[in-house]
């Protein structure tokens, strides 16, 4: 039973100095410090249960997301949780359609990242109170209640509430792929060492970062293909580095390494550009994957309508939490496009596993061409870290959205006053 009135919302800027090890680097984001705006909401209920939510950032700018969370706080404070989840669509819309704040969105950028962090905390709180992991809360939910969480505004031309009520169920662990071996910040030796270890650990699908330098890409892709052999799956990720013709030309040269997909070949806003690239590369056996920087459900709708992608990558912290992701999962089902979520960062694996397990059980009922990203960084800072077995995500059992961070990790990494940053900042200033 949901209970309590939201009595407190706090938000902290938590940063991990991942750039020091080259972790997370790609052709456009060369020195990311994986970070999060970390939201905790409390209620006046006697159970003392807190809801924790994050959104993922790359270091600088997290303070801006923190400001945006604070600007949204008045929509959450003093609300009964029962009223929020009883009209979740209305609450979602209240956050995303604030008559003043929407000017600096709408439903995109910093204000949408902040919305995701707040709503992720609400979902965590709700699931903890129900004593279920979020995926199970969703699976068990009456379909009418489920669709009542979705804001169908702007997508009724492809998906209506009636369409959404026709989906079905099943259950299992979820196949994963690894990105951890081949960040652009890694030397060839590190790449080889991590790839050998990943093979030993049973990984069969690997993603490599490309796009900064063609000769470099050819060499690194050759190393990986030689190591994993012809049968295992290779994906490539350019992180928006190219113009449209450049993407086609570059990938035509990398086609010999047989990538399943090229991810984010160009600007995430260029729907027709993605369609052009897709038209050119699909005949070479290369699909287009995108979504980790897709603003909202409307852009996903248009990518689907334009046949601009073959693999759809939802992100648990960029869209408006579970609510908006539900609408995208249902649209992907309708267009028969497999969902292969973006994960990694700080906590993205922890969150998105709930969405993809729900997708499999309740929406797609298929594993064909479906795989969820896994990145082996920063899980030790979470109270309920992901569990990977035989290169698959095992369904989380703890109540909530797996969003809660260990308090000592938050304290240590809080920016700029945490122990880690107090040591690092004077060194970086010199
Ligand atoms: C900056 C991030 O590490 C980015 O490269 C992640 C990404 O594109 C992915 O995991 O995919
Ligand atoms: Mg990517």
């Amino acid at each position: 039973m949901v209970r309590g009135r939201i009595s407190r919302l706090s938000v902290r800027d938590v940063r991990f100095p991942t750039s020091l090890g080259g972790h997370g680097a790609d052709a456009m984001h060369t020195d990311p410090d994986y970070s999060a705006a970390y939201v905790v909401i409390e209620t006046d209920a006697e159970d003392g249960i807190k809801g924790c939510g994050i959104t993922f950032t790359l270091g600088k700018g997290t303070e801006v997301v923190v400001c945006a969370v604070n600007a949204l706080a008045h929509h959450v404070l003093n609300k009964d949780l029962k009223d929020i989840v009883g009209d979740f669509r209305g609450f979602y819309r209240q956050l995303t359609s604030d008559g003043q704040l929407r000017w600096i969105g709408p439903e995109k950028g910093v204000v949408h990242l902040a919305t995701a962090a707040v709503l992720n905390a609400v979902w965590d709180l709700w699931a903890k109170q129900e004593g279920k992991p979020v995926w199970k809360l969703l699976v068990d939910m009456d379909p009418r209640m489920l669709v009542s969480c979705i804001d169908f505004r702007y997508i009724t031309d492809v998906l209506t509430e009636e369409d959404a009520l026709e989906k079905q169920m099943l259950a299992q662990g979820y196949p994963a792929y690894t990105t951890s071996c081949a960040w652009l910040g890694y030397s060839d030796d590190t790449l080889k060492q991590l790839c050998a270890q990943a093979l030993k650990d049973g990984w069969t699908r690997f993603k490599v970062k490309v796009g900064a330098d063609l000769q470099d890409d050819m060499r690194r892709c050759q190393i990986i293909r030689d190591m994993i052999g012809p049968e295992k799956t290779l994906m490539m990720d350019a992180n928006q580095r190219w113009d449209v013709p450049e993407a086609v030309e570059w990938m035509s040269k990398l086609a010999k390494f047989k990538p399943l997909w090229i991810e984010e070949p160009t600007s995430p806003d260029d729907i027709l550009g993605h369609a052009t690239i897709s038209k050119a590369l699909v005949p070479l056996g290369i699909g287009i994957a995108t979504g980790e920087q897709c603003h909202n459900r409307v852009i996903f709708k248009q990518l689907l309508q334009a046949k601009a992608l073959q693999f759809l990558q939802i992100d648990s912290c960029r869209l408006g939490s579970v609510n908006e992701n539900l609408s995208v999962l249902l649209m992907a089902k309708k267009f028969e496009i497999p969902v292969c979520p973006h994960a990694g960062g700080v906590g993205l694996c922890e969150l998105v596993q709930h969405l993809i397990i729900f997708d499999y059980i309740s929406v797609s009922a298929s594993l064909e061409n479906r795989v969820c990203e896994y990145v082996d960084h920063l899980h030790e800072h979470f109270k309920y870290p992901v569990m990977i077995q035989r290169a698959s995500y095992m369904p989380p059992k703890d109540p909530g959205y797996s969003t809660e961070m260990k308090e000592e990790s938050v304290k240590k990494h809080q920016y700029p006053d945490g122990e880690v940053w107090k040591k690092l900042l004077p060194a970086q200033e010199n």
Side-chain angles (χ1 to χ4, degrees), residues 163-179:
D163 285 336
L165 282 168
E166 284 174 13
K167 312 302 167 206
Q168 277 307 318
M169 314 237 157
L170 260 194
Q172 224 183 69
Y174 207 90
Y177 73 84
T178 177
T179 308

Side-chain angles (χ1 to χ4, degrees), residues 293-310:
Q293 293 219 15
C294 184
H295 296 311
N296 53 42
R297 65 193 177 286
V298 183
I299 305 290
F300 273 120
K301 178 187 80 171
Q302 293 195 19
L303 284 163
L304 289 164
Q305 286 175 313
K307 298 189 182 14
L309 79 180
Q310 283 67 48

Side-chain angles (χ1 to χ4, degrees), residues 304-345:
L304 289 164
Q305 286 175 313
K307 298 189 182 14
L309 79 180
Q310 283 67 48
F311 301 92
L312 185 150
Q313 300 179 299
I314 54 166
D315 183 297
S316 54
C317 290
R318 186 167 293 277
L319 294 192
S321 189
V322 177
N323 314 67
E324 194 170 27
N325 271 300
L326 287 176
S327 68
V328 177
L329 294 179
L330 293 169
M331 284 194 287
K333 166 78 178 171
K334 181 151 183 177
F335 283 85
E336 295 179 4
I337 292 292
V339 175
C340 300
H342 173 231

Side-chain angles (χ1 to χ4, degrees), residues 207 209 237 239 263-264 292 313 342 373:
K207 190 162 83 184
K209 294 287 174 179
D237 189 354
N239 288 91
E263 180 171 322
E264 291 202 301
E292 72 181 68
Q313 300 179 299
H342 173 231
E373 182 170 14

